[in-house]
Amino acid sequence: MAAVTMRLPVPRKPAVVNAPRGPEKHLVAPGDTITTDTGYMRGHGTYVEDDKLIASVAGVVERVNKLICVRALNTRYNGEVGDVVVGRITEVQQKRWKVETYSRLDSVLLLSSINLPGGELRRRSIEDELAMRDCLQEGDLISAEVQSVFTDGALSLHTRSLKYGKLSQGVLIQVSPSLVKRQKTHFHDLPCGASVILGNNGYIWIYPTSEQRDEETGGFITNLEPVSMSDREVISRVRNCIVALVTHKLMLFDTSILYCYEASLPHQVQKLVVVTLFCAVGGNGKASSVAEVRW
């Protein structure tokens, strides 16, 4: 007769939360224990107490070798080299522009980091410095790329590629930078007839897709041609779809925006405007996103 081993039920011990090793996201709140292993190093958003690594902010745990940090879900933009940003010129200084990019400090765009009108390749002269406001002035919106990060956290931008430069007509939306998914390209031409620039800093620019791109202008010529009503309706629908995704805390990338746009086609634009205004304001009276229209 075979022996049977039986084990009485006992209360289970809570499992210790270790650092994530797989692709799954590990969300923590302030005060949550990330790991009890003393072999890890403390990064941003964490602190050590009683040999435990504890989160100090609410966000996603990120692990690089033995370094653990917590990326906050609601914070200012922390730039990295290679990021695509959308910003606004706030000040014209000597051989540089100050750009507001929703970071802790204003970003810097040097005169030597832009394409001259016409795409000329030469050294900048005193005449170029005197004509800086002819290229960019206070209040202009630009798209740029992060070239480097200074020791104090300020960003140095450049617009040497012809896909960057001054933005003319379109709609600007401000969302949380944590909702913008990092991709290889942040310039997307949607099949609906609108194009979007998903800035890593949370600024999203929606504009009509142009059939001809002026590569000889250097990115500083403003297009003031009238925008048709059909293009305006498409841009408004895309803008409302982005606001709806932001309201439900969904990641923003070209596929999610396109799926939301296709799901909104059975509804009229007038109805979407009413629904979007209600979603944007919310029940607590606080706006979840900020939009600006420039026609």
Side-chain angles (χ1 to χ4, degrees):
M1 184 175 180
V4 178
T5 303
M6 299 182 63
R7 185 176 59 181
L8 297 177
V10 294
R12 300 180 62 181
K13 297 181 180 180
V16 178
V17 181
N18 293 323
R21 295 181 179 272
E24 66 275 0
K25 297 295 183 180
H26 184 196
L27 298 175
V28 294
D32 288 351
T33 300
I34 302 176
T35 180
T36 57
D37 191 350
T38 57
Y40 289 99
M41 294 185 296
R42 178 177 64 89
H44 294 289
T46 62
Y47 65 94
V48 178
E49 182 177 317
D50 297 333
D51 294 335
K52 297 179 181 179
L53 190 62
I54 303 176
S56 61
V57 296
V60 180
V61 177
E62 294 182 348
R63 175 179 176 270
V64 180
N65 295 330
K66 291 294 183 178
L67 176 65
I68 295 180
C69 59
V70 179
R71 179 169 56 87
L73 296 178
N74 189 10
T75 182
R76 287 276 181 171
Y77 168 63
N78 295 319
E80 299 179 6
V81 176
D83 284 354
V84 176
V85 298
V86 176
R88 185 188 301 276
I89 303 296
T90 58
E91 188 178 354
V92 180
Q93 297 181 348
Q94 185 178 8
K95 296 184 179 180
R96 68 184 62 195
W97 291 271
K98 287 286 187 179
V99 187
E100 196 276 319
T101 55
Y102 195 63
S103 57
R104 292 180 177 87
L105 298 173
D106 285 339
S107 303
V108 176
L109 177 63
L110 298 176
L111 178 61
S112 58
S113 300
I114 69 170
N115 277 332
L116 294 175
E120 300 181 45
L121 298 177
R122 56 177 175 81
R123 295 186 62 180
R124 279 39 171 187
S125 60
I126 187 64
E127 289 79 9
D128 297 326
E129 185 177 353
L130 295 175
M132 287 178 59
R133 278 192 169 84
D134 295 338
C135 298
L136 296 171
Q137 58 184 351
E138 293 85 347
D140 287 344
L141 291 171
I142 64 169
S143 61
E145 182 179 331
V146 178
Q147 182 178 11
S148 61
V149 181
F150 297 115
T151 55
D152 58 354
L155 306 178
S156 177
L157 309 178
H158 81 88
T159 61
R160 292 193 182 95
S161 176
L162 292 177
K163 64 181 179 181
Y164 304 126
K166 188 176 181 180
L167 303 177
S168 54
Q169 299 188 96
V171 177
L172 177 68
I173 306 177
Q174 179 183 351
V175 302
S176 176
S178 61
L179 295 178
V180 180
K181 184 178 180 180
R182 292 184 177 273
Q183 296 179 291
K184 290 184 178 179
T185 176
H186 287 258
F187 293 80
H188 302 286
D189 294 334
L190 302 180
C192 58
S195 301
V196 295
I197 303 177
L198 301 176
N200 290 110
N201 58 335
Y203 287 172
I204 299 176
W205 181 253
I206 311 172
Y207 59 99
T209 303
S210 58
E211 298 180 357
Q212 298 179 355
R213 301 183 183 276
D214 298 330
E215 297 185 354
E216 68 277 1
T217 59
F220 296 104
I221 301 301
T222 305
N223 181 15
L224 299 179
E225 295 181 359
V227 181
S228 63
M229 184 59 64
S230 59
D231 290 340
R232 295 191 182 194
E233 290 183 356
V234 171
I235 293 175
S236 300
R237 188 182 292 271
V238 173
R239 180 259 174 197
N240 295 341
C241 293
I242 293 177
V243 172
L245 293 173
V246 171
T247 303
H248 295 280
K249 306 299 180 183
L250 298 177
M251 295 297 292
L252 297 177
F253 53 102
D254 55 339
T255 305
S256 64
I257 296 174
L258 188 58
Y259 282 172
C260 186
Y261 179 87
E262 294 176 351
S264 68
L265 290 178
H267 306 280
Q268 298 181 0
V269 179
Q270 292 80 359
K271 295 181 179 179
L272 289 176
V273 170
V274 177
V275 175
T276 306
L277 288 176
F278 176 77
C279 294
V281 176
N284 55 2
K286 295 182 179 179
S288 58
S289 62
V290 180
E292 175 186 340
V293 181
R294 301 183 69 178
W295 301 120

